[in-house]
Amino acid sequence: MQQISYPGDDALGSLWESPPADQANIRDTPPGDRPPFIGVLGSSGFRASWQTGITEVMEEVGDPVRLDLTSGGTIPGLALAAGINRHWRRIGNAGAPSHKVLRPLERPSWFENKNLDLAGLYDMHEMEKWLASWLAWAGVTTFRDLRYRPGELKPDKVAHRAGIGVAMWRTKEPYPTRCTDEQLKDPTFIRRAFRWAFFGRQFPWRRLKAVWVPDTIGDHLPWLKDEIEDHSPAFWARISMSLWPVCQLTVLQDPRTLHLVFLGDGGLIDNQPSLFNDGRLHPFPLLNPRLMQHKRQGTERQARTDARRLPFGAVVRFETTTATDVQLLTGPELTWERRDAMWRQGVEQGRERLPTVIAELTRRHAALTERYAESSVRLPVEKPVLHPFQALAVAGRPGTRASFGFWS
């Protein structure tokens, strides 16, 4: 592997800087002649996007024809979909402005401290601006820029190289008044609207639904169907990383019914997300790399559980090393050297594990395709339930069954 010196004083520049003027490290065309698969990058696989060297390896050994993303996985996934390659690792590594992301909004009222701050505490807009600047550097400003080109290999019923999963819950009753755009962006109003839904016993999270942007948004939010192509992927990535009750949510209002729609982290629905993971054999296998692990996850029992959760794909679990053994909230305290070491470790682990995994996944998928070619078999998909919100979501999804546990 090419040795790259510590960022900040080398040719790659600072991890904090804005994107460079040149585009020498943008891939002009997707890689060819490599095993095709659908990359599933979720919140549990990329906890806070600090260790994401795996995206470099995925470009080298396979061709992810589609990327299904949610939560922290939206950062490396969008970078990969945009063609940003390994040398600009800061887009999917330590460059995320975590020192600005965890900036508390105005303090909640005294009674909210005893009842949770019902609208979230932290603002993720700095993450959106940072990611948008890098995507724009790569020529991606809207979902239109992520559309498949004519003749490209692609899954059925989708038009974009990447889809972002968000959790949506709609109020049971319409809001008393029509909201202005300014109100829907105002943290104080969002708290008031959320309390209105909560204390009115509407419990909107009882109706959690998974929305894949831009693929299925027209089925849930029809007024966005004709304009979603012009939306920024960075905007929806920020929504997909906004975990209630920690982060400020995004609120929309149905212009026809006046119902409020709260949008948040896609991990509230599923920590192993995929639009195609419905228990049916798809023309392309699913690959879910898992970088941040608990020591109990490297067992045969976990392997059997993974097989039930991704019956026509593969979950790849990497060993936790000294470089990668960090907790979810320690990111802002990591030194640059430590973050860079995490990235390097991800690259090395990926180069060691993924070629064999993808080769076996491709072979097994070909055998399954031959076996089920004339069959409409649909296997039950086991969904990891780590908190009550996921349990409620799984209960309302056909073809799934819940499995409670502490790790996904």
Side-chain angles (χ1 to χ4, degrees), residues 104-121 191 195 199 245:
L105 296 169
E106 183 180 340
R107 294 186 63 183
S109 304
W110 66 270
F111 58 86
E112 289 179 304
N113 285 322
K114 298 181 181 295
N115 295 280
L116 293 179
D117 176 32
L118 298 180
L121 286 173
R191 287 197 184 98
R195 290 197 300 269
F199 292 115

Side-chain angles (χ1 to χ4, degrees), residues 10-56:
D10 64 6
L12 296 181
S14 169
L15 286 172
W16 294 113
E17 69 182 9
S18 299
D22 69 275
Q23 292 190 339
N25 289 280
I26 295 298
R27 187 185 66 228
D28 291 330
T29 58
D33 301 323
R34 299 173 186 174
F37 62 92
I38 296 172
V40 182
L41 310 184
S43 54
S44 53
F46 296 82
R47 282 218 174 154
S49 297
W50 295 313
Q51 182 199 351
T52 52
I54 193 64
T55 55
E56 170 186 337

Side-chain angles (χ1 to χ4, degrees), residues 42-122:
S43 54
S44 53
F46 296 82
R47 282 218 174 154
S49 297
W50 295 313
Q51 182 199 351
T52 52
I54 193 64
T55 55
E56 170 186 337
V57 186
M58 289 172 69
E59 284 191 335
E60 293 178 353
V61 300
D63 185 0
V65 298
R66 163 77 179 191
L67 290 144
D68 276 10
L69 316 171
T70 192
S71 196
T74 56
I75 294 179
L78 285 175
L80 186 57
I84 300 175
N85 79 7
R86 58 186 176 179
H87 294 295
W88 300 106
R89 64 194 182 282
R90 35 176 143 16
I91 185 64
N93 178 32
S98 53
H99 67 305
K100 294 182 179 180
V101 169
L102 296 181
R103 178 186 297 172
L105 296 169
E106 183 180 340
R107 294 186 63 183
S109 304
W110 66 270
F111 58 86
E112 289 179 304
N113 285 322
K114 298 181 181 295
N115 295 280
L116 293 179
D117 176 32
L118 298 180
L121 286 173
Y122 297 106

